[in-house]
């Protein structure tokens, strides 16, 4: 079981790396493809939209395969997509390759969550999901910095070839360590769609949207926020982001244990704690002058990373427990919900900045959304009772 979870984590490491590494390579890619940086940035948006709307379709198409074979097909799609990225001669083909790559993202994390939960006893299911998502958090700590450095040294295409290598290693691990004949979901597509009409399933996905929006309404603009409010240098911001990535990893482990302990009460507590940390960050940036704010703000951001990602495993497990009979599709759609929250949070932060809100005031938006997570979790908890 441990080796099977490790194989799932290896694949999630590769998927996380290819999703986020492009942000550090945008200037080089824009110059090579002869487009401006905002146009190159649409490669990020195209990926997220493909995860949100394309992954459920892929999950439905693979629904009749046993889960082991489906996961191997998805990793094969991941390898193909990244190879096409490395070979793309122009912007349009690179966008198409990114869309192809993203099709495996939500379906893999959705189906992988089901497999991880089924590999372990009932009292360890959320922790097993957290083990798989450890690959995603480590991608931010290790994969993205090394991938960016490789791209700067040898060109951005070398980074995508390296990710192809990670994909082959993950495929070999899945082939060797995943149990054979993992069962597929019983029931028809129509019955799965009916399950998705349950209020608790919808509430669980809405919680994922709000939790992700709370994070990305601030994190998207964390670099200019620290530069404007605390006078942070580029090297200092890099250090803060590294600490944040470590916080994500620690929070992932914490979230798995909390999800196995008391799922919805943990989500309520984490939402309230997130709001408190966001308000503390707001106070630090508003009241502590200049560069003196950098150290306490960095500490708050580290705690923020822990709490933000501690929500992921409980929320993914919540979808699985409420969508019995349609776990593959619901789990995949929940990954789309997270990505929809990413886009929504970044949009809300951008609208606020355009309207004249100072960067230092953005944590207030994150705090309000975190309180919405806690409030909606209270509603879901009462419906359970």
């Amino acid at each position: 079981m441990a080796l099977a979870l490790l194989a799932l984590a290896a694949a999630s490491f590769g998927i996380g790396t290819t999703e986020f590494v492009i942000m550090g390579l945008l200037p080089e890619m824009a110059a090579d493809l002869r487009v401006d940086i905002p146009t190159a940035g649409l490669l990020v948006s195209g990926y997220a939209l493909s995860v949100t709307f394309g992954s459920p379709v892929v999950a439905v198409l693979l629904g009749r395969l046993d889960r082991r074979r489906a996961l191997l097909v998805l990793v094969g799609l991941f390898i193909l997509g990244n190879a096409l990225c490395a070979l793309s001669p122009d912007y349009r083909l690179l966008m198409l390759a990114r869309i192809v790559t993203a099709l495996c993202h939500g379906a893999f994390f959705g189906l992988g969550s089901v497999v991880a939960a089924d590999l372990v006893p009932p009292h360890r299911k959320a922790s097993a999901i957290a083990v798989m998502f450890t690959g995603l958090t480590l991608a931010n700590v290790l994969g993205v910095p090394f991938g960016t450095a490789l791209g700067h040294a040898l060109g951005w295409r070398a980074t995508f070839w390296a990710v192809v290598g990670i994909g082959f290693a993950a495929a070999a691990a899945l082939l060797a360590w995943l149990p054979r004949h993992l069962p597929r979901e019983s029931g028809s597509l129509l019955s799965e769609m009916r399950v998705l009409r349950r209020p608790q399933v919808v509430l669980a996905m809405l919680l994922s949207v709000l939790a992700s929006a709370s994070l990305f309404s601030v994190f998207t603009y964390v670099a200019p926020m620290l530069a404007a409010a605390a006078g942070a240098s580029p090297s200092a911001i890099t250090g803060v982001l590294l600490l944040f990535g470590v916080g994500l990893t620690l929070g992932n482990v914490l979230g798995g244990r909390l999800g196995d302990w008391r799922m919805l009460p943990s989500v309520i507590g984490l939402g309230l704690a997130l709001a408190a940390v966001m308000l503390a960050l707001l106070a630090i940036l508003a009241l502590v002058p200049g560069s003196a704010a950098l150290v306490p703000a960095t500490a708050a951001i580290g705690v923020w990373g822990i709490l933000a990602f501690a929500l992921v495993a409980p929320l993914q497990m919540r979808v699985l427990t409420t969508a019995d009979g349609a776990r593959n599709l619901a789990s995949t759609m929940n990954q789309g919900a997270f990505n929809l929250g990413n886009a929504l949070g970044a949009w809300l932060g951008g609208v606020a900045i355009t309207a004249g809100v100072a960067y230092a005031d953005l944590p207030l938006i994150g705090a309000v959304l975190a309180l919405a997570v806690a409030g909606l979790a209270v509603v879901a908890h009462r419906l359970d009772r």
Side-chain angles (χ1 to χ4, degrees), residues 51-306:
V51 172
T52 302
F53 299 106
S55 291
V57 176
V58 174
V60 169
L61 293 176
L62 297 179
R64 296 295 166 239
L65 297 179
D66 71 80
R67 288 167 178 159
R68 182 175 185 269
R69 186 174 299 176
L71 287 172
L72 289 171
V73 170
L74 290 170
V75 173
L77 183 62
F78 169 79
I79 294 170
L80 173 63
N82 280 285
L84 290 175
C85 287
L87 294 170
S88 295
D90 58 39
Y91 175 81
R92 286 178 297 177
L93 289 178
L94 180 58
M95 176 65 82
L96 179 61
R98 288 287 288 174
I99 291 172
V100 169
T101 306
L103 289 175
C104 78
H105 180 120
F108 185 90
F109 280 111
L111 181 56
S113 296
V114 176
V115 171
D118 287 348
L119 288 172
V120 298
H123 65 281
R124 294 184 55 199
K125 291 184 180 295
S127 294
I129 293 173
V131 170
M132 185 192 70
F133 276 99
T134 298
L136 182 62
T137 62
L138 288 178
N140 284 279
V141 179
L142 300 175
V144 171
F146 282 107
T148 301
L150 178 64
H152 289 164
L154 301 178
W156 63 269
R157 297 177 191 275
T159 299
F160 284 101
W161 284 123
V163 174
V164 168
I166 295 172
F168 276 112
L174 291 169
L175 190 63
W177 295 335
L178 272 185
R180 295 185 178 275
H181 308 300
L182 290 171
R184 60 182 177 86
E185 196 85 72
S186 60
S188 65
L189 176 60
L190 181 60
S191 66
E192 289 192 4
M193 297 303 295
R194 285 174 178 167
V195 169
L196 296 178
R197 298 188 318 194
R198 294 176 185 169
Q200 288 288 41
V201 176
V202 176
L203 282 176
M205 293 185 184
L206 185 54
L207 280 168
S208 297
V209 172
L210 291 173
S212 185
S214 173
L215 171 61
F216 278 87
S217 63
V218 183
F219 182 66
T220 305
Y221 307 99
V222 68
M225 180 183 73
L226 291 176
S233 64
S235 60
I237 292 172
T238 300
V240 172
L241 294 178
L242 179 60
L243 177 64
F244 185 81
V246 173
L248 296 182
T249 304
L250 295 175
N252 183 54
V253 177
L254 173 65
R257 295 183 178 181
L258 290 175
D260 285 329
W261 176 53
R262 297 184 67 188
M263 191 183 306
L264 279 179
S266 296
V267 172
I268 295 168
L270 288 168
L272 294 174
L274 264 176
V277 171
M278 288 287 92
L279 292 175
L281 180 60
L282 177 70
I284 290 168
L285 296 177
L287 300 177
V288 180
S291 59
L294 185 58
V295 172
T298 299
I301 288 172
V303 176
W304 172 37
I306 294 173

